[in-house]
Each structure stands twice: as C-alpha cells, then as structure tokens.
C-alpha cells in the first residue's frame, strides 16, 4: 500500500487490538508495532468489576481473542513517553525510537486516584482498572473481609458492590450525589437502582461525603469516616471515582489534549494545537473526544467497550485510506452503546443519556424491573436505556439517529397494559457533584462554534473546520 509501510499503535488493549485486526483485514502487509505499557497481551476489562471479584472468572482467562494472524511486533511492558510529529517518531521508555508512517493513539484512561495521597497508600485502599487490581481484590475477598467500602456509585462502583453481595460479603456503597448511577442515567432512574441495591443488601449511603480514610495504627485501613460523623469499620476500601485520560506522554507533541480527551475530527484524525489536522496520526477509544455527526457535531467522550472497538476499526480504515488520492474520509457516527450487569439487572444504554433533560418510560416499568426509558433534550430523543430488555433497544437507534421528537411516538409492545406515563425531569446532578462520571458525555462546544472549547485562538478555528469532511 503506497505511502504506508510502518504503522504503530500505542495502547495494547481492546482499541489497539481491533485496529491491528482491521489493518490486516483490509490487506495491510507492512510493519505493524503495538506498544503497551502493561506487560500483558490485550485483555478484557468489563469482567474486572463483575465476574472476576465474584470468582466466576479467573484473570488468566481474560485475554482478548486474536481471530487472524496479526504478524505484530509487540512492545509490551514499555510505555510511549514522547512523540516527535515532525520526525514521525515515537520515543519509548526503554530509550528506543520507533518511526511510523501512521500512528494510532489508543492509550485509554486510568482510575482517578483517591485525592489524599497519605490515605491512598494505606494497605487495603484500592482502585480498579487493571487485571492486577482485580486479581488482588479477588484474593482479598476470598479472605472474607469484615466489610468492603466502595466510594463512588457509578457503574464500576455499583458493579463491584453487586459482586460483593453475590458472594455474601457486606458492602457499604458511598455516593456524594442523591442517587447511584445518577450521573450516568439521571436521578429519576437512579432512585429505582437505589431501591434495588438496598433490597440486595447494600448499605447505601447517599448524599454522603467521606471525611477521612483512617489507618488502623499498622498502616492498614481501619475505617472510613463520613462528614456526618458516622464511622464504617472495614478492611478494604475501593475508590471508584471515575477516570483520567492517559495523555501526559503527549505533552509537547503539539496536539490538543486535556482531560476531556484528545481532540479529533470526525474521522478520528488528531487536531494539532495550531488548528489543523494531522493526516498521519489517529486516535481511538476511551482517550478520544470527537464531534459526533448525530449530536450536531458536539464533541463527545465515551468510555464504552463497543465504541472503542468500532472507532478503532474506523480509524484503521482511515489510516490506510488516507494514503490514496481517491479516498473520501468518512465520519465516525456510530451511536455510543454500553451495557452493565449488576444486582440481577442488565442495563443497556444507547446514545448520550447524560445529555438529556427529560425521560419517559416507554415500555414496562422501573418497579417491574423490565423497561425501556427514552431520554430527551429540548424535545429531541438523544438516548435510551433498557433494563432487562436489551433487544428492545435496537428499535430506538433510528429515533436517536434522527433526533426524533421527544417524547417519541412509538409503536412498541405494551408489556404491562398500563397507560404510558408522562415525561419527567431526568434530574442529572450538577457538574462535579457526583463522585463518578457518566460513561458518555458531551464535552465540547455548541455546534455554532465547534472549536471554541478546544482553546483554539479565533484565527485558527476556520482552518480546522475547513479541514473537517462533510
Ligand atoms: C472495571 C471495568 C469495567 C468495565 N465494564 C464495562 C462494561 O460493562 N461495558 C462497557 O461498554 N465498557 C466497560 N468498561 C469500559 C471498557 O473496558 C473501555 O471502554 C475499554 O477498555 C476502552 O478501551 P481502550 O483500548 O480505549 O482503552 P484501555 O482499555 O484503557 O487501554 C489503554 C491501554 O493503553 C495503555 N497505555 C496508557 N498509556 C500508555 C503509554 N504511554 N504507552 C503505552 N501504553 C499505554 C494502558 O495501560 C492500557 O493498557 C469497563 C472498564 C473497567 C475498567
């Protein structure tokens, strides 16, 4: 393939692996290098907060399948520490320089650490992002702790609380906002989740602030002290406070990066800080923000497994296609899609529920534990969530794609024969209030000024917009 003979992918996880697979599937025969700072071949993270801590799956069985011969040079246990765009060269932590014709950045996110560094290093205070984290947690749970305290009732915190209850371990789940999953699904839905969590035996503390994590006198965690004076004795504290994007290694590379993600155009090519697009550098997965065509080109950031896969494959096709003159770049317009299993509930989300101001239960009921909820903003359908009804969600895709009027006019089976309720406010917590983030968020500017929030000087904005396709 003319012009592209060396492709390098940084980040050896699900996005990196699927990009490599797509490159080979498209017939790319050149050199392919995958750089990953973890010592493992790509593995699956979703079971780390579900089946692994509950003992249903061992970390040794998490490796992601490689369905074809990838012929990859693996650089595992080695981090990328710098990028020289002018020389098209990557600097690695072992001192090596790797040249590329096309680069894919897929460095994902890491768990946000507990903000008090003295408390964060107490024996028994953990975060959950890697297979080592999950294996360690599993071992500790096997030792039957007095109680596990989970701080942050987002998806990962709630799933872990569920895994603890599955193996009959007492768990306290602490959330600063008014409901679990409030930032992801809104508090109107979160209140039904809270009732379910309590019914399953979780000691759920809402509107609760942690004052301190106390040492037991031997360097181990002994208790968690709440601002209301309550103390919870425990041997394990897992802080589930959301994530931070792995972008620091790109400092000085001249890309637009911050905690809202690496700014890309709609085809996943990166923006440079002088306001143009670098045709040789793409990004994919959790580390990215991009202007989503369905959401009127607002920039969104998504931490979803399926989106990472689809985006990586899209980027891989672009990396090869951009070497051909006849190539017409295509926008990545897949709808964000996410699932979670917890407390006997299968929760599946499509679109960007966090963007909504209103919800309406369109099928079933929250109390009946099987329902579909449509999410709307300013009279348009922007998302849908199915609880124990994953297949029903497919019917909502076209509504979200065309931002159909909200509440949606649906011809769907009425499971319980009840009159459909009227829309109610979605009630998302104010910015910064919840301990956790939404896994899909609008992080960018209004459509009228798509680069305003990226910090581009005015004179540079037009150039970057002009470079965007379609
Ligand atoms: C506990 C848990 C449960 C989850 N459950 C679900 C779920 O139920 N459903 C769902 O849709 N999603 C879920 N997710 C999210 C999903 O796993 C992510 O969306 C997905 O892993 C993103 O893939 P990625 O390749 O973009 O990034 P990551 O998986 O974060 O991988 C990035 C890789 O790059 C490496 N890296 C970082 N910096 C460098 C560097 N400088 N040099 C080299 N390598 C580097 C990282 O160490 C990592 O290996 C879950 C995530 C976690 C942690």
């Amino acid at each position: 393939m003319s012009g592209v003979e060396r492709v390098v992918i940084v980040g050896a996880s699900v996005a990196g692996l699927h990009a490599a697979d797509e490159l080979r599937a498209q017939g790319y025969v050149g050199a392919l290098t995958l750089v990953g700072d973890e010592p493992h071949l790509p593995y699956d993270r979703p079971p780390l907060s579900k089946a692994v801590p509950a003992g249903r799956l061992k970390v040794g069985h998490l490796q992601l399948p490689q369905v074809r011969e990838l012929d990859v040079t693996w650089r595992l246990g080695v981090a990328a520490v710098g990028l020289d765009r002018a020389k098209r060269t990557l600097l690695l932590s072992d001192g090596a320089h790797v040249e590329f014709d096309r680069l894919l950045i897929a460095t994902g996110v890491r768990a946000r650490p507990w903000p008090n560094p003295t408390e964060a290093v107490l024996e028994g205070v953990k975060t959950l992002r890697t297979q080592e984290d999950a294996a360690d947690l599993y071992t500790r749970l096997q030792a039957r702790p007095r109680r596990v305290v989970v701080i942050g009732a987002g998806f990962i915190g709630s799933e872990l609380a569920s895994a603890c209850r599955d193996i009959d371990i007492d768990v306290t789940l602490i959330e600063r906002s008014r409901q679990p999953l409030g930032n992801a699904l809104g508090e109107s839905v979160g209140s039904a989740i809270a009732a379910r969590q309590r019914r399953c035996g979780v000691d759920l503390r809402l509107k609760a602030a942690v004052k301190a994590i106390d040492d037991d006198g031997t360097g181990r965690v002994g208790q968690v002290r709440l601002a209301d004076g309550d103390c919870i004795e425990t041997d394990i504290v897992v802080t589930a406070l959301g994530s931070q994007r792995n972008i620091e290694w790109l400092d000085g590379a001249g890309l637009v990066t911050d905690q809202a993600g690496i700014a890309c155009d709609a085809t996943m090519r990166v923006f440079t800080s002088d306001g143009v697009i670098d045709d040789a550098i793409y990004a994919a997965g959790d580390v990215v923000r991009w202007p989503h065509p369905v959401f009127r080109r607002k920039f969104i950031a998504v931490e979803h497994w399926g989106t990472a896969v689809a985006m990586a494959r899209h980027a891989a096709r672009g990396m090869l296609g951009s070497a051909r003159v006849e190539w017409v770049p295509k926008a990545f317009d897949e709808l964000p899609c996410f699932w979670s299993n917890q407390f006997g509930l299968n929760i599946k989300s499509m679109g960007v529920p966090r963007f909504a101001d209103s919800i309406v239960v369109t099928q079933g009921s929250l109390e009946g534990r099987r329902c579909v909820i449509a999410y709307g903003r300013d009279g348009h359908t922007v998302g849908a969530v199915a609880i124990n009804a994953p297949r029903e969600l497919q019917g909502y895709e076209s509504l979200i794609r065309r931002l159909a009027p909200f509440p949606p006019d649906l011809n769907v089976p009425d499971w319980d024969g009840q009159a459909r309720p009227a829309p109610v406010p979605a009630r998302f917590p104010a910015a910064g209030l919840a301990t956790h983030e939404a896994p899909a968020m609008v992080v960018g500017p209004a459509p009228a000024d798509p680069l305003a929030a990226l910090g581009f000087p005015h004179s540079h904005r037009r150039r970057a917009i002009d470079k965007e396709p379609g």
Side-chain angles (χ1 to χ4, degrees):
M1 199 147 308
S2 83
V4 181
E5 286 162 10
R6 298 163 302 177
V7 177
V8 177
I9 298 172
V10 186
S13 183
V14 61
L17 180 69
H18 279 269
D21 184 76
E22 185 68 24
L23 287 166
R24 294 301 188 207
Q26 294 292 324
Y28 172 66
V29 293
L32 181 53
T33 304
L34 246 153
V35 179
D37 62 359
E38 294 188 77
H40 316 287
L41 286 166
Y43 63 88
D44 214 12
R45 293 185 204 278
L48 301 181
S49 50
K50 307 174 185 73
V52 174
R56 293 192 299 272
L57 193 63
K58 300 253 177 264
V59 289
H61 295 149
L62 295 179
Q63 195 177 313
L64 289 165
Q66 293 178 30
V67 291
R68 76 186 83 238
E69 181 52 59
L70 293 180
D71 189 17
V72 162
T73 302
W74 295 96
R75 304 294 305 263
L76 299 176
V78 180
V81 293
L83 167 64
D84 185 332
R85 282 198 301 115
K87 293 190 178 142
R88 299 278 182 241
T89 300
L90 201 64
L91 176 62
L92 304 188
S93 56
D94 61 4
H97 290 72
V98 184
E99 294 180 347
F100 60 84
D101 301 314
R102 292 288 181 277
L103 172 69
L104 179 74
I105 302 170
T107 45
V109 303
R110 59 185 181 273
R112 173 169 292 129
W114 182 245
N116 180 319
T118 315
E119 297 173 0
V121 297
L122 287 176
E123 168 63 19
V125 177
K126 314 297 296 178
T127 54
L128 182 53
R129 180 82 201 170
T130 66
Q131 74 174 45
E132 284 80 2
D133 295 337
D136 177 78
L137 204 51
Y138 169 72
T139 307
R140 288 170 190 271
L141 295 180
Q142 288 301 297
R144 310 297 303 173
R146 286 176 289 174
R147 171 174 294 277
V148 174
V149 172
V150 180
I151 305 174
F155 276 110
I156 290 178
S158 295
E159 287 170 356
L160 181 59
S162 173
C164 289
R165 293 309 301 138
D166 284 350
I167 50 174
D168 205 23
I169 286 176
D170 287 340
V171 59
T172 297
L173 182 56
I174 299 172
E175 172 53 43
R176 200 166 52 186
S177 61
R178 282 180 298 217
Q179 300 296 347
L181 303 184
N183 220 1
L185 305 180
E187 291 174 345
S188 296
V189 177
S191 64
I193 305 286
R196 179 76 190 146
Q197 293 186 344
R198 288 195 163 115
R199 217 167 298 129
C200 292
V202 175
D203 171 29
L204 180 62
R205 310 289 182 100
L206 299 172
K207 292 192 278 179
V210 173
K211 195 156 185 222
I213 302 174
D214 290 331
D215 189 331
D216 71 350
T218 69
R220 294 183 55 85
V221 58
Q223 64 174 15
V224 172
R225 246 183 310 139
L226 299 184
D228 66 5
D230 224 356
C231 289
I232 306 154
E233 293 193 357
T234 183
D235 308 316
I236 303 177
V237 174
V238 181
T239 64
L241 307 179
S243 57
Q244 293 179 327
R245 287 175 166 79
N246 293 318
I247 49 165
E248 294 78 0
W249 68 279
L250 291 164
D251 284 354
L255 303 184
V256 182
T257 60
D258 59 32
Q259 278 306 321
I262 298 175
C264 292
D265 76 347
T267 74
M268 313 323 301
R269 294 173 296 184
V270 296
F271 278 113
T272 66
S273 42
D274 57 1
V276 292
I277 285 160
D278 191 325
D279 286 315
I281 305 181
Y282 286 67
D286 284 7
V287 75
V288 156
R289 71 177 186 265
W290 87 107
H292 200 296
V294 170
F295 298 96
R296 298 177 176 162
R297 293 187 179 270
K298 287 177 194 288
F299 280 76
I300 68 169
V302 172
E303 294 178 38
H304 295 355
W305 193 97
T307 307
V309 169
M311 195 190 291
R313 290 188 177 277
H314 190 94
R317 290 191 292 274
M319 284 196 285
L320 297 181
S322 57
R324 296 189 219 119
V325 277
E326 72 277 14
W327 172 253
V328 180
K330 288 198 187 73
F332 178 65
D333 68 351
E334 184 131 326
L335 288 181
C337 203
F338 177 92
W339 81 94
S340 171
N341 292 314
Q342 49 180 288
F343 303 104
L345 304 177
N346 171 275
I347 303 172
K348 194 166 175 194
S349 153
M350 186 181 272
V352 187
R354 182 68 180 85
F355 197 32
D357 51 34
S358 310
I359 61 163
V360 66
V361 178
T362 50
Q363 289 170 267
S365 70
L366 276 165
E367 300 71 35
R369 289 204 274 137
R370 183 166 181 243
C371 63
V372 184
I373 307 137
Y375 284 70
R377 182 189 175 104
D378 299 333
H380 298 280
T381 304
V382 295
V385 170
I387 298 181
N388 287 339
R391 271 190 228 120
E392 301 296 328
L393 215 49
Q394 282 162 16
Y396 291 73
E397 180 170 355
S398 69
L399 295 174
I400 302 169
R401 281 208 167 275
R402 54 193 159 87
L403 301 178
F406 178 89
D409 187 13
L410 289 164
N411 181 17
V412 289
D414 193 356
W415 297 328
D416 51 11
Q418 288 172 12
R420 286 291 108 219
V424 295
R427 290 173 51 225
F428 284 99
L433 186 65
T435 45
H436 58 281
E437 288 146 359
M441 281 189 296
V442 171
V443 293
D449 192 4
L451 295 178
L454 302 182
F456 287 110
H458 247 293
S459 56
H460 288 139
R461 285 187 198 152
R462 191 66 257 161
R463 271 200 287 158
I465 294 169
D466 288 344
K467 285 263 175 183
E468 243 189 275

